[in-house]
Amino acid sequence: MNLIFRATAVGLALATSGFIYAKASVPLPVVQQASGIPTLAPVLKKITPAVVGISIKGRAPDGNTQQRKSRDAKPAAVDQQTRAAGSGVVIDARQGLVITNNHVIDRAEEITVQLADGRELAAKLVGGDPDTDIAVIKVPAENLTAIPIGNSDQIEVGDFVLAIGNPFLIGQTVTSGIVSGLNRTNVGIEQYENFIQTDAAIYPGNSGGALVNLRGDLIGINTAFVGATNANPGMAFAIPINMARVVTDRIVETGDVRRGKLGITFEDPTPALVREFKFAAAPTTPIIVKVDPGSPADLAGVKAGDVVTDRAGTPVRDTSQLRSRLGLFWVGDTAELTVVRNGRAAVIRATITDPSRAKATK
C-alpha cells in the first residue's frame, strides 16, 4: 500500500524514528573540478545559504484535521502546543521574503527561521494558500542570500536536480537525482497540482526546501514523497517554481489569495459524453458539461458541449491540468479559453469576479 507524506517533520520524535536510506544510483555529470575531483561543491556553496530551516510553535490540530492529514505526516502529540519543522527558500534578500509550503506553517503562532550560518530569526507570516500549498514568510533583511530563480517550464525528464532541505531536524542536507516526470496532476495532495516528480530523496523536514538544477537555479519547492520504505525512498514531488511564483506574487501583493469561479463543470471525454453531445468524433480534451447560469462563463458565451483545447494559448491535456491552470486565476483576472463548438474553434474571454458581480467580455 502506497502512502503519501508531506515532507514535514513533526516534533523531535521523528529524529529518533530511523532513517530511510537512498541509493545514489544516478551518476552526476562533472560540474567543476577541484583538485582533479569532480564536485558539485562550488554550486552548493553559492546557494545553500538561501535554504533555511523553519520551526514553529502553534495549536495542535483538532481531531477532524488530524484525521484528514493522517496520510500527510506522522501525528503530533495531543496537547495545546505542537512543534513542527520544515524548510524554506529565501527568494528576496532585500525584503527578507522566504517561500515555503503552507502546511509547514499551518496553525503557527510563532515561526523561527534557522539560517545556514547558525542565526535564528523570528519570522512573520505574509500569507498562505492551502490549495496550492504555498506560503510566504518574512524575516529581517540582514545579510541574507537569495537563490537564483529558474524557469520550470524549461526542464525536461532526465535533467539532473538537487534537493536541499532540513530533514529529520539534523541540519541542512543535499540529495541528488533526476527529473522523473512532469505535470503530475493526480497525486491527490493539493487542490491544484502540477508536480515535478524526482528521484532525489525528499524526507520529513524537506517540505518547503529547494529543488535546483545543476546551475543552482530554483526550479521547484519540495513538498511530499510517496511510498517510502526502509529500502526505497519512493517518489518525491515538488511544486514547479513558475506555479509557485504566481501564487507568491499574489500573496506579496495582496496578503491573501482570492479565487473567483469561472462557473463551468468539465469532464474528460467518455463514450457516454460523446453520445450525449452527439460528437461526430470523440474529443481528446475536456468537455464542458455544465455552465452555471449568470456566471462569468455563461455571460461570456460558454456552452455545455464546448470542448476546451487551449488556455491562454497553451494546449490543455486533461481535466486535472485544466483545473490546476484555472486555479491560478484571481478575482479580476481574465480567463481566455479556446473552445471547439460544432467543429469550429472560438476564443472566449471571461473576467473572473465575485459571484454577485460577474462580468464577461467576448
Side-chain angles (χ1 to χ4, degrees), residues 20 62 116 124 129 132 186-187 238 272 287 321-322:
I20 302 169
D62 57 38
K124 294 182 179 180
D129 178 29
T132 57
N186 56 353
V187 181
I287 301 169
Q321 184 192 50
L322 178 59

Side-chain angles (χ1 to χ4, degrees), residues 59-69 78-79 106-107:
R59 300 183 304 278
D62 57 38
N64 292 335
T65 302
Q66 191 66 46
Q67 183 177 7
R68 177 172 56 84
K69 291 189 175 182
V78 180
D79 55 21
D106 189 31
R107 302 183 185 283

Side-chain angles (χ1 to χ4, degrees), residues 5-9 51-54 72-73 85-89 99-105 133 164-168 189-190 202-210 221-225 237 239:
F5 298 92
R6 294 194 196 277
T8 307
V51 183
V52 303
I54 297 175
D72 297 335
S87 304
V89 186
I99 187 173
T100 186
N101 285 137
N102 187 76
H103 74 264
V104 170
I105 50 80
D133 202 13
I164 311 170
N166 182 29
F168 295 104
I189 303 172
E190 319 297 357
I202 293 177
Y203 304 110
N206 273 113
S207 275
I221 301 299
N222 301 326
T223 299
F225 57 92
F237 297 93
I239 300 168

Side-chain angles (χ1 to χ4, degrees), residues 39-288:
T39 180
L40 293 166
V43 173
L44 292 170
K45 286 178 181 178
K46 294 179 181 178
I47 62 173
T48 50
V51 183
V52 303
I54 297 175
S55 60
I56 71 164
K57 292 181 181 179
R59 300 183 304 278
D62 57 38
N64 292 335
T65 302
Q66 191 66 46
Q67 183 177 7
R68 177 172 56 84
K69 291 189 175 182
S70 61
R71 68 179 182 177
D72 297 335
K74 294 187 178 180
V78 180
D79 55 21
Q80 296 302 311
Q81 294 284 322
T82 182
R83 291 175 178 267
S87 304
V89 186
V90 179
I91 56 172
D92 189 321
R94 290 181 297 176
Q95 296 188 67
L97 298 178
V98 177
I99 187 173
T100 186
N101 285 137
N102 187 76
H103 74 264
V104 170
I105 50 80
D106 189 31
R107 302 183 185 283
E109 295 176 350
E110 296 180 19
I111 305 173
T112 303
V113 167
Q114 299 88 30
L115 302 182
D117 62 11
R119 285 181 291 161
E120 293 193 352
L121 303 175
K124 294 182 179 180
L125 177 64
V126 178
D129 178 29
D131 290 340
T132 57
D133 202 13
I134 290 294
V136 179
I137 59 178
K138 186 171 184 175
V139 298
E142 301 172 359
N143 298 319
L144 300 177
T145 299
I147 199 165
I149 305 297
N151 183 352
S152 54
D153 288 344
Q154 294 180 349
I155 64 176
E156 297 181 301
V157 173
D159 287 353
F160 289 98
V161 291
L162 306 172
I164 311 170
N166 182 29
F168 295 104
L169 310 177
I170 63 172
Q172 191 175 86
T173 301
V174 181
T175 58
S176 64
I178 63 169
V179 173
S180 307
L182 296 169
N183 307 124
R184 300 304 196 208
T185 57
N186 56 353
V187 181
I189 303 172
E190 319 297 357
Q191 287 278 61
Y192 303 106
E193 298 181 339
N194 188 31
F195 287 117
I196 301 167
Q197 180 185 332
T198 178
D199 66 349
I202 293 177
Y203 304 110
N206 273 113
S207 275
L211 187 72
V212 303
N213 59 27
L214 293 192
R215 290 187 298 271
D217 298 332
L218 182 66
I219 59 170
I221 301 299
N222 301 326
T223 299
F225 57 92
V226 176
T229 68
N230 287 335
N232 188 326
M235 298 178 290
F237 297 93
I239 300 168
I241 192 57
N242 289 12
M243 180 177 182
R245 286 189 69 180
V246 172
V247 180
T248 298
D249 290 346
R250 184 70 178 186
I251 291 172
V252 172
E253 179 183 351
T254 67
D256 66 358
V257 173
R258 290 194 306 132
R259 290 183 174 88
K261 288 187 177 180
L262 186 57
I264 58 175
T265 302
F266 45 86
E267 297 179 10
D268 286 322
T270 64
L273 288 177
V274 171
R275 291 193 298 270
E276 178 181 351
F277 291 106
K278 298 180 173 60
F279 291 115
T284 59
T285 55
I287 301 169
I288 296 174

